[in-house]
């Protein structure tokens, strides 16, 4: 009997709504760090931003593996094989926690070397190293959190993401306020305080997920027990790595190149880096609706393929595209009408706010294009064609980094013109992803994830 998959606009909102709230709450960690550090000074802001970019480069390894976990869980959920999901969760936790510990051990000396040798400003390098030495302790918690998130998204229980992110945000904001400036009886640690607050926020997120699963999730339904969680399964691990490998490469490539882009911007000067850091934080915040709808698309497309109903993908994606584009258009109209008001969240310096506005206009165009393309790009991976995801990313990134190098090193262009590479990048992603889906090429690449 064919299982019915809900493809309505209401279902898109049901799945993406809690995810959107969770992204807002989760990204408040970065936004609050930027807002507080922006009041300490441009050097502190720039240093922490560079360290955060490197942190998220490494984090994409865990994110990519967790994305593969979500695809497998989504396919099994769609196929009605819920009792096998706990075993997938267990294997993913073992794999990601082990990699998380390794990344902390290797990342500590790597960060010191990287900032000392690649940043032209020694003041920024010192600030980045100070932030990194504490922030790199959070990898194992961030990786484990990604696995839990994949479980809840894959099983369409996205409301827990909202609760989790609210807890994390409260912890982070409170500790930021206390540890950066020396409030609440805590020591004033500046950049170090921001890093420590972020790590404790991630720890609180893991504890919440564990408590929630123990009290609210039907563990028997999903086959979650000690045996399923802690029994090593070489075959499943291989499938997870095979499916996630290209997603890891895609995410790592994307984030790494963005980091390289910021290293390029840093060579233009501390003011230019401060502008780029503020715009980056705003960029991430504005990207939340796109990420949320993409999460809904990944979950639903996984269910569609698990249920053997791939012919329904086209009408579903058209619906998702309309919702995403209209949402983004409305948000961007408001933001671009009152840019100074929103930029004041990140800095109270009028000259810095004015310097950020041109870049804000440019990324707005990039975001509008991405609001369409990201729906199809997310769908490509959810079909199981993860190699294609990587190839699309690779082609787009080569163009991106080449154009960025020309803009920065050859023309030494203003920051807002340098950000124009984002427009071309998302345009290529959109065109290639839409073409893949329209031609229905996924049958050539699909990895069997349902047993």
């Amino acid at each position: 009997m064919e299982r019915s998959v809900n493809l309505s606009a209401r279902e898109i909102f049901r799945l993406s709504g809690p995810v959107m709230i969770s992204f807002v709450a989760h990204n408040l960690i970065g936004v609050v760090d930027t807002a507080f550090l922006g009041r300490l000074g441009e050097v502190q802001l720039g240093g922490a931003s560079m360290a955060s970019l490197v942190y998220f480069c490494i984090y994409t390894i865990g994110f990519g593996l967790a994305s593969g976990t979500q695809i497998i869980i989504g396919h099994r959920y769609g196929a009605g094989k819920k009792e096998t999901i706990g075993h997938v969760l267990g294997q993913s936790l073992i794999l990601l926690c082990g990699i998380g510990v390794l990344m902390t051990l290797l990342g500590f000396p790597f960060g010191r070397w990287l900032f000392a040798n690649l940043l032209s400003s020694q003041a920024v390098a010192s600030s980045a190293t100070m932030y990194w030495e504490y922030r790199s302790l959070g990898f194992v918690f961030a990786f484990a959190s990604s696995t839990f998130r994949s479980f809840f998204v894959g099983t369409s229980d996205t409301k827990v993401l909202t609760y989790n992110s609210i807890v994390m945000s409260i912890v982070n904001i409170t500790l930021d306020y206390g540890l950066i400036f020396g409030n609440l009886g805590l020591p004033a640690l500046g950049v170090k305080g921001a890093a420590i607050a972020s790590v404790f926020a991630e720890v609180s997120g893991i504890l919440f997920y564990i408590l929630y699963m123990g009290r609210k999730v039907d563990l028997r339904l999903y086959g979650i027990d000690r045996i399923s969680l802690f029994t090593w399964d070489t075959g499943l691990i291989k499938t997870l790595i095979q499916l996630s490998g290209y997603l890891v490469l895609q995410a790592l490539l994307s984030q790494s190149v963005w980091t390289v882009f910021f290293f390029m911007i840093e060579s233009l000067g501390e003011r230019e880096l401060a502008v780029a850091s503020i715009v980056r934080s705003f960029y991430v915040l504005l990207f939340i609706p796109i990420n949320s709808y993409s999460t809904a698309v990944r979950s639903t497309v996984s269910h569609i393929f698990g249920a053997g109903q791939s012919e329904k993908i086209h009408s579903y994606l058209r619906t998702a595209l309309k919702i995403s584009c209209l949402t983004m258009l409305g948000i961007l109209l408001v933001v671009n009408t009152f840019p100074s008001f929103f930029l004041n969240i990140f800095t109270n310096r009028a000259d810095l706010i004015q310097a950020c506005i041109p870049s804000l206009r440019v990324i707005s165009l990039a975001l509008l294009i991405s609001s369409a393309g990201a729906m199809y790009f997310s769908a490509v991976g959810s079909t199981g064609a993860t190699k294609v995801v990587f190839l699309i990313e690779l082609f787009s990134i080569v163009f991106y980094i080449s154009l960025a190098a020309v803009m920065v090193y050859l023309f030494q262009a203003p920051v807002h013109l340098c950000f124009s590479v984002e427009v071309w990048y998302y345009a290529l992603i959109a065109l290639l992803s839409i073409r893949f889906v329209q031609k229905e090429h996924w049958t050539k690449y699909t990895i069997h994830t349902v047993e």
Side-chain angles (χ1 to χ4, degrees):
M1 181 177 177
E2 188 181 74
R3 294 187 73 254
S4 176
V5 180
N6 191 341
L7 307 179
S8 65
R10 177 175 291 183
E11 180 67 3
I12 293 175
F13 286 120
R14 187 190 75 80
L15 289 175
S16 63
V19 175
M20 194 175 300
I21 296 172
S22 75
F23 274 133
V24 170
H26 187 74
N27 279 283
L28 276 177
I29 293 175
V31 171
V32 170
D33 281 354
T34 301
F36 284 157
L37 292 173
R39 284 158 173 78
L40 284 182
E42 293 182 7
V43 169
Q44 290 85 348
L45 173 60
S49 294
M50 296 305 297
S52 291
L53 282 168
V54 176
Y55 176 86
F56 282 109
C57 274
I58 298 176
Y59 168 75
T60 55
I61 297 172
F63 179 80
L65 287 167
S67 296
T69 302
Q70 181 185 320
I71 293 171
I72 296 175
I73 289 175
H75 283 197
R76 294 191 179 193
Y77 186 88
K81 297 188 175 182
K82 299 178 181 179
E83 71 281 357
T84 66
I85 288 175
H87 192 45
V88 178
L89 174 65
Q91 298 306 294
S92 182
L93 280 172
I94 293 172
L95 182 62
L96 267 77
C97 286
I99 295 174
V101 172
L102 181 63
M103 290 301 100
T104 294
L105 295 175
L106 296 178
F108 193 81
F110 170 73
R112 284 186 170 185
W113 173 87
L114 184 71
F115 302 130
N117 288 277
L118 295 186
L119 291 174
S120 59
S121 169
Q122 288 305 305
V124 172
S126 176
S127 179
T129 302
M130 196 179 302
Y131 184 89
W132 175 260
E133 289 180 345
Y134 291 90
R135 191 71 180 93
S136 58
L137 298 174
F139 284 124
V140 65
F141 307 111
F143 282 19
S145 183
S146 293
T147 300
F148 281 114
R149 181 177 176 278
S150 294
F151 168 79
F152 289 113
V153 173
T155 57
S156 297
D157 185 12
T158 56
K159 64 180 181 297
V160 63
L161 306 183
T162 301
Y163 308 145
N164 177 267
S165 294
I166 290 173
V167 170
M168 290 179 64
S169 295
I170 291 172
V171 172
N172 185 76
I173 293 171
T174 302
L175 291 179
D176 261 350
Y177 178 72
L179 291 173
I180 292 176
F181 300 112
N183 297 314
L184 306 177
L186 298 173
L189 300 178
V191 171
K192 291 181 183 178
I196 294 171
S198 296
V199 173
F200 272 99
E202 288 171 343
V203 172
S204 70
I206 286 295
L207 292 176
F208 179 85
Y209 276 138
I210 293 173
L211 290 173
Y212 183 90
M213 288 196 72
R215 297 189 177 188
K216 297 293 184 179
V217 174
D218 188 341
L219 303 182
R220 184 174 297 180
L221 175 65
Y222 296 112
I224 299 175
D225 53 39
R226 291 183 180 180
I227 295 177
S228 66
L229 288 177
F230 301 114
T231 301
W232 180 265
D233 185 337
T234 302
L236 183 54
I237 289 290
K238 286 182 178 179
T239 299
L240 179 60
I241 293 174
Q242 181 185 7
L243 182 64
S244 304
Y246 286 111
L247 294 176
V248 171
L249 290 175
Q250 177 265 322
L252 183 60
L253 183 63
S254 177
Q255 184 64 35
S256 296
V257 169
W258 208 28
T259 302
V260 170
F261 174 69
F262 271 78
F263 273 97
M264 291 180 178
I265 295 294
E266 191 268 343
S267 70
L268 296 176
E270 292 177 359
R271 164 51 66 93
E272 285 77 8
L273 179 59
V275 169
S277 298
I278 291 172
V279 172
R280 169 184 168 268
S281 293
F282 208 81
Y283 201 176
V284 170
L285 201 59
L286 290 175
F287 215 91
I288 287 173
I290 298 173
N291 275 334
S292 303
Y293 292 134
S294 294
T295 300
V297 167
R298 282 194 293 269
S299 178
T300 302
V301 170
S302 293
H303 294 172
I304 289 173
F305 276 80
Q309 301 171 21
S310 60
E311 72 280 356
K312 296 181 179 180
I313 189 174
H314 300 290
S315 59
Y316 172 73
L317 287 177
R318 284 194 294 270
T319 301
L321 183 148
K322 292 175 184 176
I323 292 173
S324 179
C325 287
L326 289 174
T327 301
M328 208 66 234
L329 182 61
I331 292 172
L332 292 174
L333 285 173
V334 174
V335 168
N336 281 275
T337 302
F338 309 101
S340 297
F341 172 80
F342 291 101
L343 289 168
N344 191 61
I345 297 171
F346 302 96
T347 179
N348 54 3
R349 295 180 56 177
D351 59 330
L352 195 52
I353 289 174
Q354 290 303 310
C356 290
I357 291 177
S359 296
L360 178 60
R361 308 288 193 203
V362 174
I363 67 165
S364 294
L365 177 59
L367 286 164
L368 190 58
I369 295 171
S370 181
S371 66
M375 302 304 104
Y376 281 82
F377 190 55
S378 298
V380 173
S382 294
T383 66
T386 54
K387 181 178 180 180
V388 177
V389 171
F390 170 70
L391 292 175
I392 290 174
E393 185 73 52
L394 179 62
F395 181 80
S396 303
I397 282 298
V398 169
F399 182 83
Y400 176 102
I401 200 65
S402 300
L403 182 58
V406 169
M407 299 292 284
V408 174
Y409 296 125
L410 185 60
F411 295 116
Q412 292 188 320
V415 177
H416 67 280
L417 291 183
C418 294
F419 267 114
S420 66
V421 298
E422 297 286 326
V423 175
W424 296 106
Y425 167 76
Y426 284 119
L428 282 173
I429 292 284
L431 290 173
L432 294 173
S433 300
I434 290 171
R435 178 176 174 78
F436 176 87
V437 173
Q438 288 179 338
K439 296 294 183 180
E440 298 187 358
H441 288 316
W442 52 72
T443 55
K444 302 176 183 178
Y445 301 93
T446 303
I447 297 172
H448 297 291
T449 57
V450 179
E451 296 179 352

